[in-house]
Amino acid sequence: MHEPASPASWRIALPHTTAAVPVARALVRTALTDIESSADTDTAELLTAELVANAVEHTRGQDPIELVIELLPTGCQVEVHDSSPLPPGDLTAPCPPEEPDPWQEHGRGLLLIRTLSSSCGHRPTASGKAVWFTLPTRGCGGGPGIG
């Protein structure tokens, strides 16, 4: 029987600028490729870019944004830490649920995160908050297929 390896994780500070978005995308892809994770790297990149862009846009000051990538036995988790204690708008359950306006440039990021991740949320930290999502490994359905 194959014993799972101990979870791997990466933690890096990013600048509080829009330049952090492509850097975060590249870091997630590199980390998931290096550990040979079977999580969907394209989705991980997209959702990480959304979290980092939100942190840059919706937090004040120049405190760095921290990116944390953790390999889990069932997939991966990505967290973005920022210095604002305010929770993200409608990450877990928008009330009432609204469709984003197709003509607006903003308003789809958290919808993408809710829709494409297996779970997502936020939690307070000593210096602000962490917003996170998890992605399962590909082909990890958790049970027999329907067919």
Side-chain angles (χ1 to χ4, degrees):
M1 185 166 142
H2 175 57
E3 290 292 320
S6 62
S9 66
W10 290 260
R11 182 178 293 261
I12 188 162
L14 299 170
H16 194 272
T17 68
T18 56
V21 175
V23 172
R25 288 181 76 115
L27 288 168
V28 165
R29 178 166 292 279
T30 300
L32 294 180
T33 300
D34 282 353
I35 60 176
E36 299 177 0
S37 171
S38 62
D40 183 348
T41 53
D42 292 333
T43 301
E45 277 188 67
L46 173 66
L47 301 186
T48 299
E50 291 296 336
L51 288 185
V52 172
N54 282 350
V56 169
E57 183 176 346
H58 298 292
T59 61
R60 304 277 183 246
Q62 295 301 312
D63 292 334
I65 295 163
E66 189 172 44
L67 175 65
V68 180
I69 306 161
E70 184 175 1
L71 178 64
L72 305 171
T74 58
C76 72
Q77 179 168 308
V78 175
E79 289 187 344
V80 174
H81 296 233
D82 63 50
S83 60
S84 172
L86 299 175
D90 59 356
L91 182 63
T92 53
C95 293
E98 295 179 11
E99 291 296 317
D101 181 341
W103 300 105
Q104 294 296 316
E105 291 183 17
H106 301 287
R108 292 178 192 84
L110 296 179
L111 175 63
L112 283 172
I113 293 165
R114 285 194 317 268
T115 304
L116 298 176
S117 67
S118 57
S119 61
C120 60
H122 61 90
R123 63 182 173 79
T125 64
S127 60
K129 72 174 168 304
V131 184
W132 57 270
F133 68 85
T134 58
L135 292 177
T137 55
R138 288 187 202 165
C140 181
I146 299 174

